Amino acid sequence: MGSEIGYRRGMALVVGAAVLWSLMGLAIRLMGDAGTWQILFYRSLGLVPVLFLVILHRSGGRPLPRIRAAGWPALIGGTGLVFAFAGAIFAIRTTTVANAVFLFAATPLMTAVMAWLLLKEPVRPATWVTIVVAGVGIFVMVREGLAIGAGLGNLAALLSASGFAAFTITLRWGRLGDMLPAVLIGGVLSAVVAAAVISARGESFALSLGAVAIALFMGAGLLGLGMAIYTAGSRAVPAVEIGILSMAEVMLAPVWVWLFLNEGASAGTFLGGAVLLGAIALNALTGMRHKTVVPPG
C-alpha cells in the first residue's frame, strides 16, 4: 500500500509505540507511594509540551487552528481520556500490572459495542463471538481480583478501557483524522482535574525529585513520544493489523515488572488474560481475512 513512510516502517513505529507504552506499569511502580492524582498531574505536565511541539511541526507552525478545528469532538474525547488515564494509574497501583493491562486489552471490544449502540456501526458475527469469549476471560480476572482484594483495581482498569473506547468513538463521530489534538486536550484536562482533586483533598503536590522525574518522563517519553510515532505509523498500516501489533504492549508490560521488580501474577490472571487476548487476536485475524469485503472504519 502506498504511504509516505512505507508499510514496514509504519509497522516498526506502531510496535515501537507499544513497547514504550508497555513500560508505563514499571515506571508507576518505581514511583513508590506517589498517589494517583499526583502521578496524573506530573505525567500530564510532561505530555502536553511534547504533543504541542508535534502538532506545531505537523501544522507547519500553525498549531492553534489545527487544535481549534478538532472542536467539540476533541473536547469530549479528551474528557474520556481523563477517565482513561486516571483509571489506568489507579489500576496499576492497586492490582498487578498483568491484571491491569489484560483488562485494558478489552478496549477494542468495548469500542465495537459503543460504536454499535451510538453510531449504528455494524458488528461482524465473529466480533460478537469474540465479545462473549472475552467476557469469560474478564470474569475470570475480575473474580481473581476480588479474591486477592484488588476488586477496585479491576474496576478501575475496566473504567480506563471504557474511557479509551469513548475517546475512539468520539473521534469517529467527529470524523477526526488526527487524534493528537484530542490527546493534547485530554492531557490539559487531566492536569487541571488532577490539580483540582489534589487541592480539594488538601493533599500535597510535593513528590521526591526522582518521582517527579519519572512522571515527567512517562508523559514526555513514554506517552507523548509513543503517541507521536503511533499516529505516524498508523497511517501506513491497516487498522486490523494495528490491533495485533499493539498487543505487544499487553504482552510486554508484565515482563518488565517481573524482570526488574520480580512482580508476578496469579494463574487465574494469566488464564483469563490468555482467553481475552486469544479472542481479540482471533477477531483481528478474521477481520484481516475479510477486509476485502468489509469496509474499514
Side-chain angles (χ1 to χ4, degrees):
M1 61 183 292
S3 168
E4 60 183 8
I5 64 172
Y7 173 71
R8 290 186 179 179
R9 188 179 174 193
M11 287 182 63
L13 290 174
V14 171
V15 172
V19 172
L20 288 176
W21 295 335
S22 73
L23 291 165
M24 206 76 70
L26 175 62
I28 290 173
R29 283 285 186 270
L30 293 175
M31 291 186 67
D33 59 357
T36 297
W37 299 107
Q38 292 170 315
I39 296 173
L40 180 62
F41 176 73
Y42 287 107
R43 193 179 75 173
S44 299
L45 292 186
L47 170 66
V48 169
V50 170
L51 290 187
F52 184 81
L53 289 175
V54 173
I55 296 171
L56 176 69
H57 173 71
R58 292 184 180 177
S59 64
R62 303 187 64 216
L64 295 183
R66 176 76 65 90
I67 296 169
R68 283 198 299 265
W72 282 104
L75 183 61
I76 298 171
T79 302
L81 285 182
V82 176
F83 290 94
F85 290 159
I89 294 170
F90 182 84
I92 289 173
R93 289 186 67 251
T94 53
T95 187
T96 65
V97 170
N99 210 61
V101 296
F102 285 150
L103 290 172
F104 297 159
T107 298
L109 305 181
M110 292 184 178
T111 302
V113 173
M114 287 186 183
W116 175 66
L117 289 172
L118 301 176
L119 304 181
K120 308 305 179 185
E121 290 186 5
V123 178
R124 295 183 302 113
T127 299
W128 285 120
V129 174
T130 297
I131 290 170
V132 173
V133 175
V136 174
I138 291 172
F139 171 76
V140 171
M141 284 187 287
V142 171
R143 186 182 65 176
E144 188 77 14
L146 291 172
I148 63 174
L152 284 178
N154 284 351
L155 291 177
L158 291 174
L159 174 65
S160 177
S162 299
F164 280 117
F167 169 73
T168 304
I169 291 300
T170 305
L171 295 190
R172 292 185 186 177
W173 166 64
R175 303 187 185 282
L176 300 180
D178 185 2
M179 72 170 71
L180 288 188
V183 180
L184 174 67
I185 292 172
V188 172
L189 290 176
S190 294
V192 171
V193 170
V197 172
I198 293 171
S199 299
R201 290 182 169 183
E203 298 175 353
S204 173
F205 286 85
L207 291 176
S208 69
L209 185 60
V212 171
I214 292 172
L216 292 174
F217 174 72
M218 269 197 291
L222 302 185
L223 189 53
L225 178 61
M227 279 290 183
I229 65 175
Y230 175 85
T231 54
S234 63
R235 296 190 179 101
V237 182
V240 288
E241 295 183 32
I242 289 175
I244 295 176
L245 295 174
S246 298
M247 292 176 100
E249 175 191 358
V250 180
M251 305 305 293
L252 287 174
V255 173
W256 301 132
V257 291
W258 172 70
L259 280 176
F260 293 99
L261 302 177
N262 200 32
E263 176 183 310
S266 67
T269 292
F270 283 112
L271 174 61
V275 172
L276 174 61
L277 294 180
I280 293 172
L282 183 60
N283 181 66
L285 289 170
T286 59
M288 290 176 66
R289 193 173 67 238
H290 292 93
K291 66 182 178 182
T292 56
V293 294
V294 179

